Amino acid sequence: MSFLHRQTRQGEVEPTDPSPWVGLRQEIGKFLEGVVREPLEGVAWPFRAHGKWSPPVEILDSDDAVLIRAEVPGVDPAGMDVTIADGRLVIAGHKSQPDRPEACEVCRCEVCYGAFRRSIPLPDDVDIEGIDASCRHGVLSLRVPKQRPAAAQKVHVKVAT
Amino acid sequence: MANSTETTKKAAERPESAERTRGGQFFRPNCDIVERADELLVLADVPGAQGDRIDVKFEDGTLSIHAPIDRRQAPETEYLLCEYAVGDYWRTFQVSEAVDASKISAEYANGVLTLHLPKAESLKPRKIAVTSA
């Protein structure tokens, strides 16, 4: 275990055993989950995450489209599911853990593996048929075009004589 | 007493060993490190990085990973939700001298950088055959 040390920005050397820090991070996550989620129990949470881990998402709005990006490093793009149902866009997939031989020692474990599922509500004025998805360098990009508003039509008013 | 003051001043003037040459915001990528019998395997999540621009250096026992990331937000767009910030990845590890620096190899696929740090020959496990007379 003493094989590796992490160097901090101050030049200090920290011990490698990550377990207390991983545990602390999980504890903080659980605490925040309780503080933030529980008082809002009855309120619909707009961005639901299911599964063991949840990829971070960013949503950008432009004049003609909504752009959704998710960081999914290590996820096989071919095995990723993007579905649209009931006005929600669902991104699901699985991050596989690389094969580890039995005779190995895990020095540091910070990456989460397993299945994930994110459900994102879509606005009403989007063109579901025109959604474009691509995955490059571990970033999933979705472009959801907005429906063009119908051109204003002028109605001729007949004047009764 | 004079010696003591001089030593302290020298120590204070010495620059940090891992000081960055570039300014700006950096992010620490999540890493898994596995020690195998013959190598040390480092897996770093650097989503958004381009493989040919990732800079991996091994110098004086320090392994450094630097992956520049381009800004992705177009100027005419606004954020509705932002769960992660975009910026370069940078991380260093102090590795013992047991690694054969000339044989370090790296692969990059789907946003994950994989580094193979082979152990020096002298440290690889070796089975010694015992001969009986």
Side-chain angles (χ1 to χ4, degrees), chain B residues 14-35:
Chain B
R14 195 174 57 214
E16 286 178 25
S17 58
E19 197 172 358
R20 299 197 309 256
T21 52
R22 288 181 55 169
Q25 199 175 13
F26 284 81
F27 294 94
R28 203 184 72 161
N30 284 339
C31 291
D32 274 5
I33 301 177
V34 177
E35 187 180 349

Side-chain angles (χ1 to χ4, degrees), chain A residues 3-7 9-10 25 47 55-62 67 69-77 95 98-101 103-111 113 118 137-139, chain B residues 16-18 20 26 28-37 40 43 45 47-50 62 72-73 76-84 89 91-96 98 108 110-112:
Chain A
F3 195 73
L4 260 174
H5 293 280
R6 182 170 76 79
Q7 189 154 21
R9 288 187 184 168
Q10 288 76 37
R25 197 165 62 180
F47 308 105
V57 169
E58 65 177 16
I59 304 176
L60 290 139
D61 186 34
S62 72
L67 307 167
R69 293 196 192 100
E71 287 195 328
V72 286
V75 178
D76 180 14
K95 183 168 177 172
D99 292 335
R100 283 178 182 165
C104 75
E105 186 188 1
V106 178
C107 305
R108 193 173 280 272
C109 182
E110 299 170 351
V111 180
Y113 298 97
R118 294 262 346 218
H137 300 317
V139 179
Chain B
E16 286 178 25
S17 58
R20 299 197 309 256
F26 284 81
R28 203 184 72 161
N30 284 339
C31 291
D32 274 5
I33 301 177
V34 177
E35 187 180 349
R36 292 177 175 169
L40 200 67
L43 298 158
D45 274 359
Q50 293 175 37
T62 301
R72 292 197 282 267
Q73 187 187 8
E76 67 276 11
T77 58
E78 64 168 316
Y79 276 108
L80 299 176
L81 174 73
C82 183
E83 293 180 344
Y84 64 94
Y89 293 104
R91 194 162 182 181
T92 60
F93 292 101
Q94 199 77 47
V95 186
S96 82
Y108 181 67
N110 293 334
V112 179

Side-chain angles (χ1 to χ4, degrees), chain B residues 34-105:
Chain B
V34 177
E35 187 180 349
R36 292 177 175 169
D38 57 344
E39 67 170 7
L40 200 67
L41 185 71
V42 181
L43 298 158
D45 274 359
V46 286
Q50 293 175 37
D52 53 353
R53 292 177 64 197
I54 298 173
D55 187 24
V56 179
K57 279 183 187 155
F58 186 79
E59 200 172 11
D60 295 334
T62 301
L63 175 76
S64 69
I65 300 165
H66 175 228
I69 307 288
D70 295 326
R71 294 288 303 169
R72 292 197 282 267
Q73 187 187 8
E76 67 276 11
T77 58
E78 64 168 316
Y79 276 108
L80 299 176
L81 174 73
C82 183
E83 293 180 344
Y84 64 94
V86 174
D88 294 3
Y89 293 104
W90 191 82
R91 194 162 182 181
T92 60
F93 292 101
Q94 199 77 47
V95 186
S96 82
E97 61 282 351
V99 166
D100 188 347
S102 63
K103 290 180 183 166
I104 293 175
S105 61

